[in-house]
Amino acid sequence: MLSTLVVVCGIGIGHKNAVIGQADVHGVMLDDVGSGFELTDESVDPSGALTRTFTGPAGSVQITGFAVTTPPGTRQLFEATPQVDTFDLVDEPSLDLARWAVPAGQRLGDSAFSALTFASRDHFFTIILVLVDGATIDGPAFVLELAGRQIEIAGEPLAAVDLEESNPADLELASLMPEAPPQGYGLDAGSITLPGSTLVDDDELGDPEVVDFLNKRAAGFAQAWGRSDLTVAAGVTKYPYDIFAAHDLAAFGDLDRIAVPAGLPAVPPDAVVFRSADLDQIGVAFRRGDILVLVLTTWVDPATQLTATSLAVDTAALVAPRLPDGGGTSPYVFPTPPSRLVGLASTAGFVVLAVAGARMVARLRARRVRRMWADDPEPAIWPPPRRGAVVVPLDADAALLRRRGAVVMMVQLVTITIGVVALSGDFAWAGVIVAACSLVVGLLFTRWWLQKEHRLLGPSAPPRAFRVPRPAGAIMGIVAFAVLGVGVAYLLKGVRYTIFKPTLAQLRWADLLGMAPRTVGYVFAAGGLLVTMLGAVLWRIARSLGRARVREVLRSDSRPPVLYLRSFGDDAVPLPIIASARRPLFELFSIRGADPFEECVAWELDSYGPVVSVGRPGGSLASLGAAREHLSNETWHGEISDRMRNAGSIALAPGETAGLAWELEEIVTGGHLRKTIFVFPPLAPSELARRWAHTSSILRSAGAIVGDLPAPHGIVHTVQIGPDDTVRATCADTRDEATYRVSVDRALETAGVMPSNIAVPDRSETSRDVSDPA
């Protein structure tokens, strides 16, 4: 009776894996007790305990032992040994954990019967000696000598532990246990209570540190009742997080399921009723949130399996109503960790999805910008044809530029995916080298493809000396690179935390943040994505801060400059962007969808000369467009006049400000109209119509002959005014970065602004006289 209760409570409740297969105790059990005794029998009882029987002329020796896991631990199990009415328990002072069972009313050594229960570090033992009449052996001394040998083989006990101090939550679960066992089974004697036992010791977690972390934060309580042929033990475990209770519940589902006999109470939702063939046990396991309940019964003849099953279900029915309301009841299985190949493929797929998601968001934001123009009510009416006016269509070349941009984006995606996979895989320094090489390849290909884009549109800028970024830009670039690295790392870590079984680091984060482990994964993934986006923004700022000032640009580039004039309010006008080599590798995850209109125009103008402009009064953050020069109110007129004379070409965005009106007059009076192209900002057609009316009015007042536009305002990109009031316009049905970059090239080719060693491409087939506007 005593042995069966201890085994069921200590093994079955203390360690879930013991239900599936008891640890082997053969290697630490005495197989020779001396004094003429020989091993005559060896057996394993239904609870998994090993018993060896030795017989000889003086009597018989029976040694029973079983392994004990931690929790509950041998000390905790020893202290829970119950009192039996027919025996007195007497401590053995020479051993740390040892207690004699002396027949009631007698003293130790008065009879031929000697029984000692004791514990080693990981095992629990009982030695029973029964001497025959006339035997000369000192029973207690002989048993004590055997116990010393057994402990020496199995290992010394652990140090004492104050259970209530180490985990006071254990005892709080005692209220969930029924006060008495189910009625009708005769379980009214020999019950034991075992605080502190938990089930968080799962080999499937694969990390002893994770198991130790969970055990220190788990709480448990167990109770057992029994009779000579039937025992039941009920244990309740409170896990740190729901997911582990659900996972352990799923593990019981791998055992042999059995049907519940008719007429018994209904089992709790998602409960598992099973039989362990190895230990001949019947069990019921179920959970409520982070609390898991395990009921185990074991039986020997004359009890039956049906009786054990009924007892297990009845006991579960007693415990279930005592659990807190709320919380999930379903099991959960951690995904099997992927092979290295599958893991690397998953990482690559995630990077591709992240880029695709960023592109989708960017497209949606670009569509929102386009709607700002599409909602304008002005109809696209073609004016009557007029001799000398020319319309240059841009759609075909712009479509080709978009396709070329898709190529560079794919190459950038491949190189950055290789880099991330190399860093995320367990490749040590080889992974770092591959990642660095992929980064270099991506940067070099982007640079080479940029020259191809320029040659597609028009003349390519001659090679220029590398300019070291300004200190502020270099420092910000380092910060941006670090932020990008942290963002991508935590993004991938969050995905792993969400999908696979928790790691020790993840559990520590969960403990620190006070949230479930899977929630930590969600937070890391979302936070990593946001940090990655922040890194992309910081990278743009770094590029802006690192750009040279006007005088540095002019000093390092001998070509005639391109002067860009606009209203300061147009600096923030958005233009939908395309995939292009002009954006570096690190902006692959950008979700902007639109860049400042000036940036796209200035990028293409830079192929023909260094682009300079006047900065907003009061100073502003450097942009990725034209190089800024801040001028005082007293000197800006003279400075602008000098810039116009020295410029190889002038690009002007029509507006309605007083400063722009003065600049228009200066262009006419200074004789610069022939090298000026008017670039229409991406605005609503009605706004463009009003601006052009204002611009043409000022030009006429200054003495220029300006004809009407040869196409609707809503599709015009650039306008050039030639001699005898001829007007040449570039047009496209859409407005995005591709159409504006093509329009700038077509306009500057007409103006003859290109290096002398490059022939002007023949574009006559793409131009048409407006006498045939259709």
Side-chain angles (χ1 to χ4, degrees):
M1 169 65 181
L2 171 62
S3 173
T4 302
L5 278 174
V6 169
V7 170
V8 170
C9 193
I11 299 176
I13 301 302
H15 188 359
K16 171 178 62 61
N17 289 335
V19 178
I20 302 173
Q22 170 63 32
D24 189 10
V25 73
H26 287 74
V28 297
M29 285 276 286
L30 285 172
D31 56 7
D32 181 10
V33 298
S35 298
F37 291 95
E38 295 182 357
L39 179 63
T40 57
D41 185 54
E42 180 176 291
S43 63
V44 179
D45 69 11
S47 65
L50 172 65
T51 300
R52 284 177 174 167
T53 303
F54 304 83
T55 58
S60 65
V61 177
Q62 186 182 78
I63 303 178
T64 300
F66 57 87
V68 180
T69 61
T70 302
T74 53
R75 182 174 299 278
Q76 188 172 344
L77 191 59
F78 182 84
E79 293 175 354
T81 304
Q83 179 71 45
V84 182
D85 293 341
T86 56
F87 289 92
D88 294 328
L89 300 182
V90 179
D91 290 335
E92 170 53 51
S94 65
L95 298 177
D96 186 18
L97 297 177
R99 188 171 291 160
W100 295 96
V102 181
Q106 297 185 18
R107 293 180 302 173
L108 180 64
D110 285 351
S111 68
F113 174 85
S114 301
L116 179 66
T117 298
F118 60 96
S120 67
R121 183 181 60 229
D122 300 311
H123 297 83
F124 209 90
F125 299 98
T126 299
I127 299 179
I128 299 176
L129 171 66
V130 180
L131 298 174
V132 298
D133 291 341
T136 60
I137 295 177
D138 183 348
F142 180 71
V143 170
L144 191 60
E145 187 268 336
L146 291 181
R149 289 170 55 194
Q150 182 63 76
I151 290 176
E152 184 178 354
I153 296 174
E156 293 293 332
L158 296 174
V161 178
D162 187 339
L163 297 176
E164 294 192 17
E165 181 178 346
S166 63
N167 199 349
D170 290 345
L171 298 179
E172 296 179 7
L173 297 178
S175 62
L176 302 181
M177 287 288 100
E179 297 175 358
Q183 298 298 316
Y185 296 94
L187 308 177
D188 55 357
S191 66
I192 63 173
T193 297
L194 186 66
S197 58
T198 66
L199 302 181
V200 189
D201 191 7
D202 193 342
D203 291 339
E204 294 182 27
L205 295 179
D207 188 346
E209 291 184 323
V210 171
V211 174
D212 181 65
F213 179 92
L214 295 173
N215 275 318
K216 289 179 179 178
R217 290 160 178 78
F221 195 88
Q223 186 122 7
W225 300 271
R227 66 189 196 204
S228 60
D229 60 341
L230 183 66
T231 57
V232 61
V236 57
T237 302
K238 183 177 178 61
Y239 290 72
Y241 309 105
D242 290 19
I243 191 171
F244 293 101
H247 173 63
D248 274 1
L249 177 61
F252 289 108
D254 295 334
L255 302 177
D256 294 335
R257 305 287 285 269
I258 61 175
V260 177
L264 295 179
V267 296
D270 293 313
V272 178
V273 182
F274 61 89
R275 174 178 177 176
S276 172
D278 293 340
L279 301 182
D280 223 9
Q281 292 176 330
I282 300 295
V284 179
F286 60 96
R287 79 176 181 103
R288 186 80 55 78
D290 59 357
I291 294 178
L292 178 69
V293 176
L294 176 62
V295 178
L296 291 174
T297 59
T298 185
W299 75 98
V300 294
D301 291 337
T304 64
Q305 177 179 325
L306 178 61
T307 302
T309 304
S310 299
L311 176 59
V313 174
D314 283 338
T315 305
L318 288 179
V319 177
R322 306 173 72 91
L323 299 179
D325 294 333
T329 62
S330 60
Y332 174 76
V333 177
F334 289 120
T336 301
S339 63
R340 171 175 287 193
L341 180 61
V342 174
L344 296 179
S346 301
T347 301
F350 177 76
V351 174
V352 172
L353 287 177
V355 173
R359 294 298 301 170
M360 183 178 297
V361 174
R363 283 177 174 270
L364 293 175
R365 297 183 69 180
R367 181 179 299 178
R368 183 178 179 184
V369 172
R370 290 188 177 95
R371 286 177 180 171
M372 297 167 54
W373 318 326
D375 293 339
D376 191 88
E378 180 173 303
I381 301 176
W382 283 79
R386 188 168 60 88
R387 185 172 300 278
V390 177
V391 173
V392 179
L394 307 172
D395 294 290
D397 288 336
L400 180 58
L401 182 59
R402 296 186 194 101
R403 290 194 294 271
R404 292 289 184 91
V407 173
V408 73
M409 185 187 73
M410 293 302 298
V411 175
Q412 288 180 336
L413 176 59
V414 170
T415 56
I416 201 169
T417 300
I418 292 174
V420 172
V421 169
L423 290 176
S424 62
D426 187 15
F427 298 114
W429 281 106
V432 177
I433 294 173
V434 171
C437 291
S438 68
L439 174 64
V440 172
V441 170
L443 295 174
L444 292 178
F445 179 86
T446 302
R447 179 68 179 175
W448 174 72
W449 197 261
L450 179 60
Q451 296 301 321
K452 290 181 67 68
E453 282 189 7
H454 281 313
R455 287 194 293 271
L456 170 69
L457 300 178
S460 178
R464 296 190 297 275
F466 173 75
R467 289 194 294 262
V468 177
R470 294 165 59 192
I475 294 174
M476 182 59 73
I478 295 173
V479 172
F481 188 79
V483 171
L484 281 169
V486 170
V488 172
Y490 274 86
L491 181 59
L492 294 175
K493 183 179 295 186
V495 172
R496 289 198 299 270
Y497 283 178
T498 302
I499 298 176
F500 302 117
K501 64 181 62 175
T503 64
L504 180 62
Q506 181 178 357
L507 295 178
R508 286 173 173 169
W509 277 111
D511 191 52
L512 177 64
L513 301 176
M515 58 181 61
R518 183 165 290 178
T519 305
V520 172
Y522 297 145
V523 171
F524 274 32
L529 181 60
L530 293 176
V531 172
T532 301
M533 294 177 181
L534 174 62
V537 173
L538 293 178
W539 187 260
R540 279 184 59 82
I541 295 176
R543 292 172 61 200
S544 299
L545 293 175
R547 287 172 61 84
R549 296 183 177 89
V550 169
R551 299 189 186 280
E552 296 171 349
V553 169
L554 296 179
R555 186 166 54 248
S556 62
D557 194 331
S558 60
R559 295 176 299 167
V562 178
L563 179 62
Y564 178 71
L565 303 173
R566 85 286 181 207
S567 299
F568 294 130
D570 288 343
D571 286 350
V573 172
L575 176 69
I577 58 177
I578 64 170
S580 170
R582 82 176 184 87
R583 267 173 294 282
L585 194 66
F586 303 115
E587 292 192 22
L588 197 60
F589 297 96
S590 173
I591 61 170
R592 291 195 311 277
D595 280 345
F597 154 70
E598 176 221 341
E599 181 179 322
C600 299
V601 172
W603 180 269
E604 202 61 38
L605 288 172
D606 189 69
S607 298
Y608 299 87
V611 186
V612 297
S613 68
V614 177
R616 181 189 295 271
S620 61
L621 181 66
S623 75
L624 294 179
R628 299 287 200 269
E629 184 175 28
H630 297 282
L631 304 176
S632 66
N633 292 332
E634 293 78 17
T635 62
W636 79 274
H637 283 182
E639 293 287 348
I640 291 296
S641 296
D642 290 341
R643 294 278 184 266
M644 289 181 180
R645 284 192 298 270
N646 297 328
S649 60
I650 300 172
L652 185 144
E656 299 176 290
T657 61
L660 199 59
W662 179 88
E663 291 168 343
L664 286 169
E665 294 175 352
E666 186 66 18
I667 286 175
V668 175
T669 57
H672 309 306
L673 188 58
R674 299 297 175 262
K675 63 179 180 181
T676 299
I677 61 172
F678 297 90
V679 185
F680 281 38
L683 300 170
S686 59
E687 171 74 8
L688 294 176
R690 189 178 70 250
R691 288 193 179 201
W692 182 248
H694 179 76
T695 298
S696 58
S697 174
I698 294 175
L699 292 174
R700 292 189 185 98
S701 298
I705 301 175
V706 182
D708 296 331
L709 288 183
H713 297 86
I715 66 172
V716 172
H717 283 56
T718 63
V719 170
Q720 292 167 279
I721 300 173
D724 301 327
D725 75 356
T726 58
V727 177
R728 187 176 188 270
T730 60
C731 301
D733 292 332
T734 60
R735 290 183 184 273
D736 63 8
E737 176 188 350
T739 57
Y740 272 95
R741 289 177 61 184
V742 173
S743 69
V744 168
D745 277 283
R746 301 299 171 262
L748 289 179
E749 286 174 10
T750 302
V753 182
M754 57 177 52
S756 58
N757 61 334
I758 298 180
V760 179
D762 183 6
R763 308 281 185 185
S764 58
E765 295 182 359
T766 62
S767 302
R768 60 186 175 88
D769 193 283
V770 294
S771 59
D772 183 19

